[in-house]
Amino acid sequence: MQMKKLAAALMLAGLACAVAAEEVRVAVAANFMAPMKELAPLYEKATGDKLVVSYGATGAFYAQIKNGAPFDVLLAADAKTPAKAVKEGHGVAGTTFTYAVGKLVLWSSDAALVKDQKALLHPAVKKVAVADARLAPYGEAALQALDALKMKEAVEPKFVVSNNIGKTFQFVESGNTQIGFVALSQCFKNGAFTGGSGWVVPQDLYKPILQDAVQLKAGEKNAGAKRFLDYLKTSNEAAAIREAYGYGTVR
């Protein structure tokens, strides 16, 4: 009987270890900040894990990762960076997937300014915020859309360029620029703009903004990192939050 009790105790201890709470360090693209702030406490409550979240530019995060920054997971603003992480030995093969499809919006903090793309040519619009197309997928998408609309030549002299979409949004929100191309998730929730006015750029005017996640080598042995990615991929709660902020999903 004592041996059976000991075996049962050891089994329970093993199970407890298997599901032990972990601290997971997550680097998150700036455009996904608002959804992540809602998603994180739900995940923590469901699993007991603790998420330590940093927000910023994907390119800057990858430079840090290459220099040894101890992130366990990267939620990128593109698909190229997670693929590069795996290829260059900083990401875990087989863990990448598209967690969200971003949407581009032309937005202003002025509630009456934007009805469609013609707002770019409004006499009051002296400055147009845009993220650097060399660094940010939303900036690249903005240039593609302007090319498709045959408006790039007219609008480009008004550009105020920043190195990530978070700063781009700050320019527009503060009124430092009258208008700008930002991520829909930054100014939209539950089917409506949270302020100002905007025009959701038709998705056929730019290449899909596929945002991929990857488990990083620093977190390869972190069971919580895998749990978090599984949650992001399969949870109905995570899907509902993404939808609320206007993200698309891969069909």
Side-chain angles (χ1 to χ4, degrees), residues 3 16 22 54 79 108 124 142 179 182 184 202 210 214 217 220-221:
M3 289 298 293
E22 300 274 6
S54 300
S108 173
I179 202 169
V182 301
L184 181 62
L210 303 180
V214 63
K217 280 290 186 177
E220 188 169 16
K221 295 181 180 179

Side-chain angles (χ1 to χ4, degrees), residues 2 16 28 38 42 44 62 65 69 79 98 100 113 120 127 129 132 137 141 156 196 208 213 230-232 238 248:
Q2 290 298 322
V28 179
E38 289 195 24
L42 295 175
E44 290 176 340
Y62 192 59
I65 289 162
T98 300
L113 182 58
L120 289 163
K127 296 178 181 179
D132 190 333
E156 199 165 23
D230 287 343
Y231 179 88
L232 191 61

